[in-house]
Amino acid sequence: RALASGEIRAWFQPQCDDDGRIVAAEALARWVRGDGSIVSPGEFIPLAEELGLISRIGEQMLAQAARLSAQLAGSGRPIILAVNLSAQHMHEPDFVARTLQIVREAGADPRLITLEVTESLVIDDYGTAAARLDTLRDHGFRIAIDDFGTGYSSLVQLKRLPFAELKIDRSVVTDIANNAEDRQIVEAIVLIARQFGLRVVAEGVEDKETGVLLGNLGVDLLQGFGIAKPMPCSEFEAMALAA
């Protein structure tokens, strides 16, 4: 019912450079009930996966992000918007065609849309995933590997798959101010990313000190509550246009 009534909405969390400028944003699913109360994603996302509804949520997030992308570009403020892909969604037979259709119907430029995938999603069915990501890349979409630093075959995937962006997992970022090993991990990830020509985004940045450290280590974009909280579409649009 929430899907049918439009209660599942895309909220946007800004991704900023070390000068605080909004360069991109990630679309995050939020369930806002009619009375204004919010259901935690930790509650409804696992349930949607179990019920086979996560693909519908993914398509709604893509459609809302694509419409916002077109509006921002039309206002002279093109910003890259990222949308997460689930394994269920990406392995559907018509996934590529539906993705292209949704973005075209919104009048958005695929070059301003990033599709985020996790290592596990690709590993589950490498051949199919690689072919579909290659096709989407050829149509202009940016492909990002999410949660980098938590898997076991990332280097091979960076070599073989059409990634343009790498997102460092929050587990590596959270304690970077106090943990020298975490800082060394970030330095190594940034070095690897540079070798592959990838932009680096750090998620889970909870305070300004962490953001400064990450910027000094060469991270391109910062995302987290210490930078900006996820916000409704209209609020993010106003902030982006005012910047």
Side-chain angles (χ1 to χ4, degrees), residues 26 31 34 36 44 73 75 89 103 127-128 131 134 150-151 168-169 180 192 206-207 216 218:
E26 180 180 0
W31 180 352
F44 75 84
S75 299
H89 191 190
V103 172
T128 298
D134 280 338
T150 60
I168 303 175
D169 187 71
I192 291 168
E206 302 299 330
D207 55 71
N216 291 338

Side-chain angles (χ1 to χ4, degrees), residues 109-125:
D109 184 345
R111 293 173 297 180
L112 295 174
I113 302 291
T114 295
L115 303 175
E116 295 188 359
V117 301
T118 61
E119 280 187 90
S120 59
L121 186 156
V122 177
I123 292 169
D124 288 344
D125 188 352

Side-chain angles (χ1 to χ4, degrees), residues 217-231:
L217 291 172
V219 172
D220 299 300
L221 297 181
L222 308 172
Q223 178 182 347
F225 277 40
I227 306 300
K229 295 181 179 180
M231 61 192 76

Side-chain angles (χ1 to χ4, degrees), residues 168-241:
I168 303 175
D169 187 71
R170 66 180 62 248
S171 64
V172 181
V173 170
T174 302
D175 197 36
I176 193 174
N178 305 307
N179 190 312
E181 290 182 350
D182 283 349
R183 289 197 295 275
Q184 291 170 350
I185 290 172
V186 171
E187 286 182 303
I189 290 174
V190 170
L191 179 60
I192 291 168
R194 293 292 174 261
Q195 295 300 314
F196 288 98
L198 307 180
R199 183 163 72 176
V200 181
V201 181
E203 58 183 353
V205 182
E206 302 299 330
D207 55 71
K208 291 184 178 180
E209 180 185 5
T210 299
V212 170
L213 282 171
L214 289 166
N216 291 338
L217 291 172
V219 172
D220 299 300
L221 297 181
L222 308 172
Q223 178 182 347
F225 277 40
I227 306 300
K229 295 181 179 180
M231 61 192 76
C233 180
S234 58
E235 187 177 330
F236 173 75
E237 183 178 10
M239 175 184 289
L241 293 175

Side-chain angles (χ1 to χ4, degrees), residues 14-216:
Q15 297 173 348
C16 300
D17 62 18
D18 54 9
D19 290 325
R21 292 173 297 198
I22 299 174
V23 176
E26 180 180 0
L28 300 167
R30 293 292 184 266
W31 180 352
V32 184
R33 289 185 169 132
D35 62 3
S37 63
I38 297 177
V39 181
S40 166
E43 294 182 37
F44 75 84
I45 293 295
L47 183 59
E49 291 173 339
E50 181 182 340
L51 297 174
L53 296 173
I54 197 67
S55 295
R56 287 180 59 190
I57 291 179
E59 289 197 348
Q60 288 201 10
M61 294 303 99
L62 178 61
Q64 292 176 47
R67 287 195 294 269
L68 176 59
S69 178
Q71 291 168 7
L72 289 170
S75 299
R77 186 74 165 91
I79 291 176
I80 294 172
L81 301 180
V83 178
N84 292 281
L85 297 181
S86 69
Q88 182 186 122
H89 191 190
M90 200 176 83
H91 289 134
E92 290 185 346
D94 63 346
F95 163 69
V96 172
R98 284 286 299 150
T99 299
L100 292 170
Q101 179 185 0
I102 289 169
V103 172
R104 285 169 178 163
E105 287 179 351
D109 184 345
R111 293 173 297 180
L112 295 174
I113 302 291
T114 295
L115 303 175
E116 295 188 359
V117 301
T118 61
E119 280 187 90
S120 59
L121 186 156
V122 177
I123 292 169
D124 288 344
D125 188 352
Y126 179 84
T128 298
R132 292 180 175 180
L133 292 176
D134 280 338
T135 299
L136 290 167
R137 186 271 315 275
D138 291 343
H139 280 89
F141 290 92
R142 296 171 53 85
I143 310 298
I145 182 166
D146 198 6
D147 300 338
F148 191 88
T150 60
Y152 58 86
S153 63
S154 301
L155 295 180
V156 173
Q157 293 176 28
L158 289 179
K159 177 181 177 181
R160 295 179 180 176
L161 294 169
F163 295 120
E165 184 176 291
L166 179 158
K167 291 191 76 175
I168 303 175
D169 187 71
R170 66 180 62 248
S171 64
V172 181
V173 170
T174 302
D175 197 36
I176 193 174
N178 305 307
N179 190 312
E181 290 182 350
D182 283 349
R183 289 197 295 275
Q184 291 170 350
I185 290 172
V186 171
E187 286 182 303
I189 290 174
V190 170
L191 179 60
I192 291 168
R194 293 292 174 261
Q195 295 300 314
F196 288 98
L198 307 180
R199 183 163 72 176
V200 181
V201 181
E203 58 183 353
V205 182
E206 302 299 330
D207 55 71
K208 291 184 178 180
E209 180 185 5
T210 299
V212 170
L213 282 171
L214 289 166
N216 291 338

